[in-house]
Structures are given as C-alpha cells and as structure tokens.
Amino acid sequence: MSSLNSTASTNSTFVRPQFFYINGFSNIPHVKFYFIFLSFVYIVTVIANSFIMFILFMDQNLHTPKYLAVFNLAVVDMGGSTALIPKMIGTFLFNSQFITYEACLASMFFVHLFTFLQSLTLLALSYDRFVAICFPLNYHSIITNGKMVLILTIIWIITAGLMLIAVGLVTRLSFCKSIVINSYFCDHGPVCQLACNSNSPNHIYAQFCISIVLFIPLILIALSYMCIVFALLKIASGEERLRAMKTCTSHLILVAVFYLPICGTYLAAILSTIHPDARILNTSLSSTIPPMLNPIIYTLKTEEILETVKRLYNR
C-alpha cells in the first residue's frame, strides 16, 4: 500500500528543471575545427545577406513582389543563423553546455521559427514564378507589392503562432528522467523525449507542423513547377522557353539546397538507424549552409541583381 502511495506521489510531482545540458557535439573528435568552419559560415552569411538586402533596398527597379520575397528570405536567413550559430559555438567551444529552462524554450522557438519561415518564403517565391510564367499578362494585377507584403505577413503570423503552441506544449512536460539533450541546440524532438509524462500531444503536433510548413510547401512547389513546365511547352520559341526558365533557376537551386538535406535525413531515419553524431552533423549543416548560399546564388544567378551590382560599382 505504501509503495502505491509513493508511486502516486511521484507521478503527481511536476518537475521543471532549472537547466538543461546540451550534449550534441561532445562525442565527435576534432570538433573544434568544425566550429571554426561554422564561424566562417556565419561571417559569410551575415556579409552576403547584408549585401543583398542593401542592393535590393538601393535599387528602385528591384522594388517588385519577387524581390520583396527575396529580401524577406535574406532577413530570415540572417535571423536563423544568428539564432543558431553564435550560441552553438559559444556552447561547445567554451564548454558552457548548460542552458536555463527559459533560454532553452526561447532558442527552440527562434531556431524552428526561422527554419519554417525559410520553407514558406520559398513557397511564396514559387507562387510568384508560377503566376509570372503561367499568367504573364495578368501578373501585375494578380501579384502586387501590397499583396506580396500581405502574403509574407501572413506567413510570419502563422509560423509564429504554430511555434508558440509548440513551445507552450513543452511547458506541460515534466522532466524527471534526464536533463541531457542529445542535440546541438534545444531541439523540439530531443527535448520532448526527456519527459517522464506523456509526450504524445507534442509528437502529434510536431508531425502536424512539419507537414504544414515543410512537406506541403514542397509538394506545392513541385506542383507549381509542373504547371510551369506545361506552360513552357506551349511556347513555340525555344529561346523564349530558355529565357523564362532562367528566371526560375536561382529559386530551383535554393529549393534543392534547402529541402534535399531535410528530406534525406527523414528518409534515412525511416529506412535505417542513423548514428546520433551523423544526424547531428547533417542537421547542423542543413540548418547553417542554405542561409549562406541563398544570397550568393541569387546574386550570381539573377541578371537584374548582377546589373544593379555593376551599376553601383561603376558609381
């Protein structure tokens, strides 16, 4: 009888730890070289995204719906890298792997927020390309600067709302098993796995969010490009097809850079068992490399931006 009472007492106790311990890169040899690499990635990310935001701001000709979305993508890339890389380097390079409960939830919110925003911004850009190629005569009436600002605002509101609920659900968890997070930041999944009460609502909601902001946008992007291909096949001139397709190449590269590592990680997790260190390295690279590459790709692969750079340089 006393044993039962003791168990009931233990189950009714809600444990909210003061700190978590982030264990991510602890077992990876020579990891300091990786953090030097990440420092370089962060510096390039900040410079490249600041540069493209400056270019888009300075040139009135680039104040169009498409480049509003590109500007938003640069802001998101800067925010995502700043939320993740400096803290990651500080945590492991200087052995400050303890993080307060509140700071952990804040980190979880911002890192996932900017990841999801990147996905939805790529969807907004695909919508712009879809309308521009499939409905060229009506493009300027269908997509205006005001409508693109509205789309981007809705994206921010929806994503922030989804993440607030996700973090709110974490606060209902009791952490009496362990405080060691097997990731490189306060990742939602590894944190929820530490709970000693049911984490089923968290798991179900996480799958819902991943579907809404990662996989459904990817499907919609694929469908939009199927429509673009059909529209291009109706164009008689091969030169016109090539010119129209060139306007999509930078976006297609961004989609591949962002989604391929994520989809690869999920497929590998489903089909086989991934070593924790391999998963951590893969997910950390897929979170940090795209924000660095996005502005470089858009600068090098977009004629309007290259022309603006040349004009500003000549001045």
Side-chain angles (χ1 to χ4, degrees), residues 186-231:
C186 285
D187 199 351
H188 182 269
V191 169
C192 292
Q193 287 173 5
L194 302 178
C196 50
N197 58 338
S198 174
N199 63 5
S200 295
N202 303 74
H203 179 72
I204 293 167
Y205 185 75
Q207 296 305 313
F208 169 76
C209 286
I210 289 167
S211 300
I212 292 293
V213 294
L214 284 179
F215 293 126
I216 289 178
L218 178 59
I219 291 167
L220 292 174
I221 289 169
L223 289 174
S224 72
Y225 273 101
M226 285 174 64
C227 295
I228 286 170
V229 169
F230 286 129

Side-chain angles (χ1 to χ4, degrees), residues 208-279:
F208 169 76
C209 286
I210 289 167
S211 300
I212 292 293
V213 294
L214 284 179
F215 293 126
I216 289 178
L218 178 59
I219 291 167
L220 292 174
I221 289 169
L223 289 174
S224 72
Y225 273 101
M226 285 174 64
C227 295
I228 286 170
V229 169
F230 286 129
L232 291 177
L233 289 173
K234 294 178 183 178
I235 298 174
S237 168
E239 189 178 331
E240 288 177 353
R241 288 180 197 167
L242 187 61
R243 194 182 307 119
M245 203 60 207
K246 273 186 177 179
T247 65
C248 301
T249 52
S250 52
H251 178 253
L252 279 169
I253 295 169
L254 299 191
V255 169
V257 166
F258 178 75
Y259 282 107
L260 283 178
I262 292 173
C263 293
T265 303
Y266 273 100
L267 282 173
I270 292 168
L271 298 175
S272 63
T273 303
I274 309 178
H275 191 278
D277 291 346
R279 180 185 62 81

Side-chain angles (χ1 to χ4, degrees), residues 40 46 133 167 200 217 225-227 229 297 308:
F40 169 77
V46 171
I133 293 174
V167 172
S200 295
Y225 273 101
M226 285 174 64
C227 295
V229 169
I297 291 166
T308 301

